[in-house]
Amino acid sequence: MSGQNFNLAVIGAQWGDEGKGKIVDLLCEDFDVVARYQGGHNAGHTVKFGDKHYTLKLIPSGIFHRDKLCILGNGMVIDPQALLEEIGTLQNVGVTIEENLKISDSAHVILPYHKALDLAREEAAGDGKIGTTGRGIGPAYETKVSRYGIRVADLLDRDVLREKIEFACAEKNSVLSGVYHKETFDPAKLYESYLEYAEQLAPRITSGTVLINEQIRAGKRVMFEGAQATMLDIDHGTYPFVTSSNCTVGGICTGLGVAPKHIHRVYGVAKAYTTRVGGGAFPTELNDAHGEHLRKRGNEFGTVTGRPRRTGWLDLAVLRTAIMLNGVDAVALTKLDVLDEFDEIPVCTEYNVRGERWRTFPAFAVAHHDFKPVYRTFKGWKSPTAGVTSYDDLPPLAKDYVRFIEEETECAVGIISTGPRREETVVR
Ligand code: GDP
Ligand code: IMO
Ligand code: MG
């Protein structure tokens, strides 16, 4: 990829945690800017190299390369306290965070009542809960769409901030106490603490859209880092078991103010199997020893909440849907090494929905749950791929597995990841 002048999007092709952080960190050497366009600290992106291990929630995964400009786009919802903590944690271990991190003034701010509403609603929903990360993401996006949200720029205007917090508290408090019988928030206290956050973040706040477009005009190469994933997209995912933003490629245009002509290539990141955290449809889910093996060997526990992830076989209907929706040019296939010990590896090629064949994910299936995955079973390679860095060194049966994915999805697998570290990667 070296030396090529294009902007690249890296987008989750399943239900999140595909290894986007690893892929962004790996590829960003060839880019000048890394920008997030949606989501908030519901994301947990892991980056490992050498003996270093980091988890990023709000800050783009390019931050470990000192010369990259990292931007938090207007499409994000930002909890200032969480952001300051993340900055502090990274700085404490020697990561440089100075002029290289900027925040869009039009991003929306998460306040404690958003988090309280998220938690209260989940509690009230009982078994029907979404299984959110409890970070206030949904309620913050709701407030944005209601047009009463507090934007990052508002943090810098004392009068506006006070007025907006007072107005919001009147409504949110009455819902929290009246509907959910929960504690309420004192607007004066919130105002004081948000003024303090504002002071600390002020030097980083800028017009994100102007900044990124200036960079593009100057010929800088931009990487767009997706959070969450295609099947968690508010419009295209397994609604209502989704997050509240557009994780798919269109989110880049709205979430950064970047025109479509500036998005040149799209990488779809997919595990060699499937996981999902929280509720909702998961056609290839395994509730058996194989699923447990995937969880254990793949260390499938949430980066943000520590919850055990649900596990299952690779689902090509999901992958085709992601490739279609995002215009994926190449797949980055991660965690191939996790499959090393299986005797047999089934792959879902399509669904049988009441006798009808479906090769992409049918939206109605979310409600009906009466679709059956059709599997093609592969012989396991039963030899280590962990740490392999050259395609030629992969076992022939593992190559067959990769080739089958390419044929069935009509999309190239450009990267194969064989371990969590930056070094443990095959780039084709
Ligand atoms: P993200 O949210 O898409 O960035 O993914 P997460 O960081 O939440 O989850 C991916 C997990 O898998 C992390 O613990 C990574 O360190 C790990 N990981 C990434 N790629 C590989 C791989 O190829 N093999 C193995 N064994 N682990 C990987
Ligand atoms: P990364 O970027 C996996 C899931 C939650 C829940 C649903 C809604 O690390 O891939 P939310 O808190 O967003 O309202 O929760 O979305 N979810 C994720 N699952 N990876 C993520 O991020 C996720 N972010 C949210 O588990 O099912
Ligand atoms: Mg994650």
Side-chain angles (χ1 to χ4, degrees), residues 235-362:
D235 285 283
H236 302 291
T238 44
Y239 189 91
F241 297 93
V242 293
T243 191
S244 301
S245 64
N246 284 118
C247 321
T248 47
V249 70
I252 296 171
C253 298
T254 52
L256 280 163
V258 165
K261 68 179 176 182
H262 297 307
I263 308 165
H264 305 126
R265 301 265 170 93
V266 181
Y267 252 111
V269 188
K271 281 179 195 177
Y273 50 98
T274 311
T275 65
R276 136 159 245 187
V277 202
F282 185 173
T284 63
E285 182 168 19
L286 291 165
N287 287 304
D288 60 9
H290 291 322
E292 195 51 48
H293 181 85
L294 286 173
R295 187 173 304 109
K296 218 166 154 194
R297 193 171 154 90
N299 190 24
E300 296 298 354
F301 296 89
T303 315
V304 174
T305 57
R307 290 178 290 178
R309 294 176 184 147
R310 299 160 65 192
T311 53
W313 300 122
L314 182 65
D315 187 334
L316 294 177
V318 165
L319 200 46
R320 279 187 209 105
T321 305
I323 289 166
M324 172 183 77
L325 289 171
N326 297 299
V328 169
D329 294 292
V331 169
L333 190 71
T334 60
K335 305 190 90 159
L336 187 71
D337 54 297
V338 175
L339 299 178
D340 282 354
E341 290 170 358
F342 283 102
D343 294 326
E344 291 188 328
I345 308 169
V347 178
C348 167
T349 54
E350 59 187 36
Y351 307 130
N352 178 337
V353 188
R354 288 166 255 152
E356 208 181 307
R357 287 176 67 195
W358 275 81
R359 287 175 62 81
T360 49
F361 199 98

Side-chain angles (χ1 to χ4, degrees), residues 153-187:
D154 298 329
L155 295 174
L156 303 179
D157 187 320
R158 287 171 164 263
D159 294 335
V160 169
L161 182 64
R162 184 189 293 111
E163 211 174 282
K164 286 198 164 192
I165 288 180
E166 280 170 2
F167 184 84
C169 276
E171 183 196 31
K172 311 291 182 197
N173 279 342
S174 68
V175 177
L176 276 169
S177 63
V179 179
Y180 298 114
H181 313 294
K182 297 289 178 194
E183 301 270 308
T184 56
F185 291 90
D186 175 356

